[in-house]
Amino acid sequence: MSFLELPLELRLIIYEHAAVEGAAVTIGACELTGKGADLVHRVYGDERAPLPGLPPMHEPAILDSYSSRLLSVSEPARIDVSSPSSNPPDHVAPTHHSTLSSLLLLNHQINAELSTHFRRKNNKKTSLFVQFPLGLHVFKTKCPDFVRQARSIHIAGSYPKPTTTKQSPQLDQLAHLVSATLGKSPRYPIEKLEARIYFPGGDSYPRVWDDSSPASVILRNVCGGFIDMEVARGRHGTGIYVSVRPHPDNKRVISTVWRRLVEGDNGQPTCGDWAVDKQWPEWNKEFAPSSPLP
């Protein structure tokens, strides 16, 4: 008996097991370190190949739990492939995470059944935590269908001074994600989108408001919503926290507060620590100011 010959009720149960059911999923990329031969085997062994679009010696990471380390700016996630305790190459991509995407591509009938089933149930309960910028690329290329089950999306990372005037592909991916979830007639409505982006450098404040900055990309692609922004300015960098919630009348209501960012000097938090909210994976549906750094 083929899969499509099974009763619809049984197929829907199978679809449920294929879906992401965890309360939190973290998506990003890890830098690989270690000896040359070990690195080559990790990247190319057993007919593997690097994910196009990632920097050299980086590996996609999709975790079915919350990982502040994968989102960290001050201590980026790294894997020593020469260490006996290093994880195997597939440690970040459990097979059930890719099953839903594969099912959607099988044929039109399965795609329609999946889309109708999850839209009717409307029981989204997964929070997606996405590393910026590389996590957006991993999200789009490895698991774009996770947005179907997302209740909320939380983005964290760093945006250094661009070395070229050309907009990065990750900013295009950010624009697409915001438009799909909080744009006009969103395909995948969510309860909240948060982005905490750190701009390194004492002269970084003007870059926050550049047309090509992540904050500007988010603002341009939100059709209507409660938009709360918090700008933290410091000696070593600037952080911007953007919180967006849908507005019942599709209006734009914007508020902004400015705070002092204390970091980088003796006895102070490390530069970039601000990018990861200390309360995550817990989050408030309403806007909540950043918790003070310890």
Side-chain angles (χ1 to χ4, degrees):
M1 177 181 293
S2 69
F3 178 76
L4 291 177
E5 291 176 328
L6 296 173
L8 175 59
E9 292 79 7
L10 182 56
R11 293 203 301 274
L12 294 181
I13 293 174
I14 295 173
Y15 296 150
E16 279 295 304
H17 286 286
V20 179
E21 297 179 350
V25 172
T26 311
I27 303 168
C30 295
E31 181 182 359
L32 302 178
T33 64
K35 298 177 182 179
D38 295 329
L39 287 169
V40 171
H41 177 73
R42 176 71 169 227
V43 176
Y44 297 100
D46 300 324
E47 299 184 351
R48 290 187 294 271
L51 178 65
L54 289 186
M57 297 303 157
H58 278 71
E59 183 175 89
I62 305 169
L63 307 178
D64 57 359
S65 61
Y66 173 70
S67 172
S68 60
R69 183 65 185 279
L70 188 54
L71 302 173
S72 177
V73 171
S74 56
E75 297 183 31
R78 295 183 175 90
I79 300 174
D80 182 359
V81 298
S82 298
S83 171
S85 61
S86 67
N87 294 310
D90 61 351
H91 77 288
V92 293
T95 55
H96 74 274
H97 278 165
S98 60
T99 304
L100 183 58
S101 298
S102 300
L103 284 171
L104 284 164
L105 296 174
L106 285 179
N107 62 36
H108 291 296
Q109 179 179 341
I110 291 178
N111 188 297
E113 290 176 355
L114 268 170
S115 301
T116 302
H117 177 57
F118 286 112
R119 183 168 59 247
R120 186 181 71 246
K121 288 190 63 176
N122 194 27
N123 63 347
K124 297 180 177 184
K125 57 184 178 180
T126 300
S127 293
L128 301 180
F129 294 86
V130 185
Q131 174 199 66
F132 180 88
L134 298 182
L136 286 169
H137 179 66
V138 175
F139 187 5
K140 179 182 178 182
T141 56
K142 301 287 286 185
C143 52
D145 294 304
F146 282 13
V147 72
R148 291 173 178 268
Q149 295 121 48
R151 178 188 175 196
S152 62
I153 298 175
H154 313 263
I155 300 169
S158 175
Y159 187 66
K161 188 175 183 178
T163 58
T164 176
T165 58
K166 184 178 180 180
Q167 180 165 302
S168 71
Q170 287 78 26
L171 290 175
D172 292 333
Q173 292 159 0
L174 175 62
H176 176 77
L177 178 60
V178 175
S179 179
T181 55
L182 291 161
K184 186 177 182 180
S185 302
R187 294 180 61 193
Y188 312 109
I190 57 175
E191 294 181 18
K192 187 176 186 179
L193 179 141
E194 295 181 305
R196 298 178 65 88
I197 308 297
Y198 181 75
F199 294 72
D203 61 346
S204 58
Y205 178 73
R207 299 205 312 270
V208 171
W209 309 112
D210 286 348
D211 287 343
S212 60
S213 83
S216 298
V217 170
I218 291 173
L219 292 175
R220 280 200 304 271
N221 288 278
V222 172
C223 182
F226 296 99
I227 305 171
D228 296 284
M229 295 189 294
E230 178 180 308
V231 183
R233 299 185 65 178
R235 291 179 53 198
H236 305 288
T238 305
I240 183 163
Y241 168 38
V242 183
S243 167
V244 186
R245 294 164 291 134
H247 191 290
D249 298 321
N250 219 29
K251 297 179 179 179
R252 286 169 64 97
V253 180
I254 302 178
S255 65
T256 307
V257 297
W258 280 262
R259 303 184 186 281
R260 182 186 178 197
L261 180 59
V262 177
E263 60 171 5
D265 296 325
N266 292 336
Q268 296 177 355
T270 304
C271 291
D273 276 359
W274 178 93
V276 178
D277 195 323
K278 303 307 176 184
Q279 75 166 337
W280 285 347
E282 302 298 324
W283 55 277
N284 300 301
K285 188 173 180 180
E286 303 298 320
F287 169 70
S290 299
S291 301
L293 289 168

